[in-house]
Amino acid sequence: MLRIISLAICLFTVGPAFAQAQSSDYTEDYQQEALEIFRDIIAMRTAAGHGKVPEMAEYLAQRFRDAGFDEEDIHVIPMVVSDGEEVASLVVRFRGNGLANKKPILLLAHMDVVDAIRSDWVREPYTLIEEDGYFFGRGTSDNKTGIAMLTATFARLQREGFTPTRDLIIAFTGDEETTMENIQSLVTEYRHLVDAEFVLNSDAGGGYRDHNHDPVSYLMQAAEKTYVDFELTIRNPGGHSSRPRADNAIYELATVLKNIEQYRFPSRINEVTEGYFREMAPLIGGELGEAMGEYARNPGDPEAQAVLENHPSEVGNTRTTCIATMLRAGHAENALPQSATATINCRMFPGVPAADVEAQLFRAAANPALEIKMTYPANEGPMSPLREDVTATVAEAAKTHYGDVPLIPEMSKGATDSQYTRMAGMPSYGVSGLFMRPEDMFAHGLNERVPVDSFFTALDYWYQVLTELGSE
Ligand SMILES: [Zn+2]
């Protein structure tokens, strides 16, 4: 999953015109290997319902064997997930010499994609097509670049005779876009294969470019909000609509919803959002930038809260949000409603228990007859504390390859496999090597693409990150 950038960040710098890079400009063996892997895996329709994930896991396992990894360090783990799909995960261990005396680093990517329908796309979605300086194809950004980067970099390091000072472990999952059961089984049943000090996920974070393709900032994901749904129901004895009663399920639910609309969850801040607002403030500037800076200093400031409240991309960084998304009520045009139900979707701030959110909703609703039911259970993951080793290495690698860009921590509103590694006690960081313009982001959508130059630059970025962290 890739995040959607706030509108403000892309509005400010002006730079030289974008020189279109072609893949033929990149002739090193490791670059060609990454491209070959990329082309092969884009051709595999690893969307739910097509059963191609095990084939992709097997293909990649062979790549690791060819690069010289021992059979005992390569694990293809088949799994039938709850929607009946046969998927697989792949775990590969790059053995270190133990000199660092530290637990391994776990590297994540997912092999599955959201399906693409040929007739809706301009080009073949399951063929890697290079055009106008971009690679087009389903999964190019989400998340097959990550798979290609990590596979090609492990192969390159193995061939170069690199020995890390601690084990580096790759885990590729096969159902991140649907059931997320692979990662859950890896951190429980197969914990011995993936246990790590921390996790680097290629499926989140990454750099931003402005409209002219100039790099602006690097966002490192260190927290995710928690998704949860509630159903709110008011019941009533009902009756004939020609004989209206004083109480009415629809009117009462409407009042409940208006009360909830007015309710604000308490504002919050953590290390990640504090860093986000502080670093973003000067980049954004203007009234919004000022509010961000003020909020970082004093999250209780009502004026800063009010400004951020009016920016849909930022309000979620300040607190838990809950919003009505669906409604159903009544059973006939000429009958008093026997029930009225609304769905409320919440994105909880890390560390806020779902039971607290439920209790606050109930209080805000101010109707003791209201029934509340949690219909999508929450996975309450913590935020990951910012670690100097990770932030310094990622910031340095981003600077080396993309120029003087600040590293900004971020909390994403969506969810990746990292929510489960965080819940399993492994701090996790989204550190994709791609730098993209907001208008080039089509993850899950039509005509998904990545810039050719960023694909190859990300390859060097990952090499630097892994050799750096693998040499400490
Ligand atoms: Zn993804």
Side-chain angles (χ1 to χ4, degrees):
M1 181 177 296
L2 278 166
R3 72 188 290 283
I4 306 302
I5 185 68
S6 66
L7 61 113
I9 193 169
C10 47
L11 298 178
F12 52 97
T13 50
V14 195
F18 174 55
Q20 283 177 1
Q22 300 298 312
S23 65
S24 50
D25 300 340
Y26 301 91
T27 54
E28 299 289 339
D29 285 351
Y30 72 91
Q31 293 170 330
Q32 288 305 307
E33 176 165 22
L35 179 58
E36 197 178 288
I37 294 169
F38 197 41
R39 187 174 291 129
D40 290 348
I41 62 180
I42 291 292
M44 297 174 189
R45 189 174 187 171
T46 51
H50 297 277
K52 292 285 187 192
V53 169
E55 182 184 318
M56 180 166 159
E58 209 28 77
Y59 163 87
L60 292 166
Q62 190 55 44
R63 284 275 173 181
F64 289 105
R65 286 181 204 113
D66 293 347
F69 285 87
D70 279 348
E71 198 60 50
E72 60 162 2
D73 291 327
I74 303 171
H75 308 267
V76 176
I77 304 164
M79 185 176 183
V80 179
V81 292
S82 56
D83 63 6
E85 185 82 7
E86 281 179 43
V87 295
S89 48
L90 172 65
V91 177
V92 181
R93 182 173 294 252
F94 198 144
R95 291 207 178 259
N97 55 23
L99 286 176
N101 201 20
K102 287 175 180 160
K103 284 175 80 174
I105 300 170
L106 179 63
L107 307 161
L108 284 185
H110 65 86
M111 299 180 282
D112 59 312
V113 293
V114 172
D115 208 3
I117 311 301
R118 171 65 188 102
S119 54
D120 297 340
W121 279 51
V122 174
R123 304 161 195 82
E124 278 296 332
Y126 292 102
T127 302
L128 185 72
I129 294 173
E130 184 180 343
E131 214 177 284
D132 302 332
Y134 292 93
F135 288 127
F136 288 87
R138 170 52 91 225
T140 44
S141 71
D142 189 13
N143 173 230
K144 286 179 173 174
T145 291
I147 299 271
M149 301 287 103
L150 292 173
T151 306
T153 303
F154 259 36
R156 179 183 176 191
L157 291 170
Q158 180 73 262
R159 291 202 175 98
E160 289 178 352
F162 176 76
T163 305
T165 53
R166 66 205 296 184
D167 289 4
L168 305 176
I169 304 168
I170 276 179
F172 293 157
T173 57
D175 66 336
E176 193 271 347
E177 300 288 6
T178 52
T179 51
M180 290 188 169
E181 287 170 33
N182 276 179
I183 191 67
Q184 296 177 64
S185 80
L186 288 177
V187 297
T188 52
E189 209 183 329
Y190 297 97
R191 184 64 178 252
H192 58 290
L193 292 181
V194 300
D195 197 38
E197 187 180 340
F198 61 86
V199 178
L200 301 180
N201 191 344
S202 65
D203 191 31
Y208 281 91
R209 294 174 144 174
D210 63 18
H211 292 303
N212 299 308
H213 302 265
D214 290 328
V216 173
S217 61
Y218 184 90
L219 282 100
M220 184 182 82
Q221 190 236 52
E224 296 179 3
K225 289 188 95 176
T226 304
Y227 183 109
V228 61
D229 287 325
F230 296 99
E231 271 190 5
L232 276 51
T233 299
I234 296 284
R235 297 188 197 281
N236 188 277
H240 200 287
S241 62
S242 65
R243 303 172 58 191
R245 329 163 28 107
D247 52 355
N248 176 296
I250 291 177
Y251 291 155
E252 280 179 42
L253 184 69
T255 304
V256 159
L257 293 176
K258 291 304 286 179
N259 289 342
I260 287 175
E261 182 188 14
Q262 296 303 317
Y263 182 68
R264 294 289 171 272
F265 285 82
S267 70
R268 293 203 162 230
I269 196 157
N270 60 30
E271 191 190 6
V272 175
T273 55
E274 190 273 329
Y276 171 80
F277 282 131
R278 181 169 30 83
E279 297 289 332
M280 286 297 270
L283 290 180
I284 297 288
E287 190 195 30
L288 178 58
E290 227 167 85
M292 288 173 149
E294 191 48 45
Y295 191 87
R297 285 185 291 276
N298 175 19
D301 184 281
E303 280 169 38
Q305 287 176 9
V307 173
L308 295 169
E309 178 78 35
N310 288 325
H311 287 268
S313 59
E314 301 305 337
V315 61
N317 282 318
T318 66
R319 55 183 171 81
T320 294
T321 59
C322 289
I323 191 83
T325 54
M326 287 163 72
L327 203 52
R328 63 173 195 276
H331 56 284
E333 282 83 351
N334 56 2
L336 298 173
Q338 287 160 205
S339 75
T341 298
T343 300
I344 302 282
N345 174 243
C346 300
R347 307 300 171 114
M348 302 193 306
F349 212 83
V352 175
D356 273 20
V357 172
E358 183 174 336
Q360 288 180 66
L361 282 176
F362 186 77
R363 265 201 311 277
N367 184 332
L370 179 71
E371 295 170 21
I372 296 194
K373 192 169 77 180
M374 197 185 300
T375 51
Y376 185 99
N379 297 309
E380 297 162 7
M383 62 149 253
S384 299
L386 300 176
R387 309 167 48 109
E388 176 62 19
D389 52 355
V390 173
T391 48
T393 303
V394 170
E396 189 56 38
K399 279 204 169 85
T400 304
H401 301 292
Y402 291 100
D404 194 19
V405 292
L407 179 138
I408 301 173
E410 69 156 341
M411 174 171 75
S412 59
K413 319 303 179 294
T416 66
D417 278 340
S418 292
Q419 69 174 299
Y420 291 101
T421 49
R422 289 195 182 104
M423 282 164 69
M426 297 188 265
S428 305
Y429 307 94
V431 296
S432 163
L434 287 172
F435 270 64
M436 311 251 296
R437 301 188 304 171
E439 62 263 49
D440 288 334
M441 292 192 182
F442 293 88
H444 298 196
L446 293 174
N447 308 317
E448 189 179 347
R449 70 197 67 169
V450 291
V452 169
D453 69 329
S454 193
F455 177 86
F456 290 104
T457 310
L459 193 55
D460 293 329
Y461 157 95
W462 275 108
Y463 182 82
Q464 184 170 336
V465 168
L466 296 189
T467 50
E468 206 49 52
L469 288 171
S471 305
E472 282 185 337

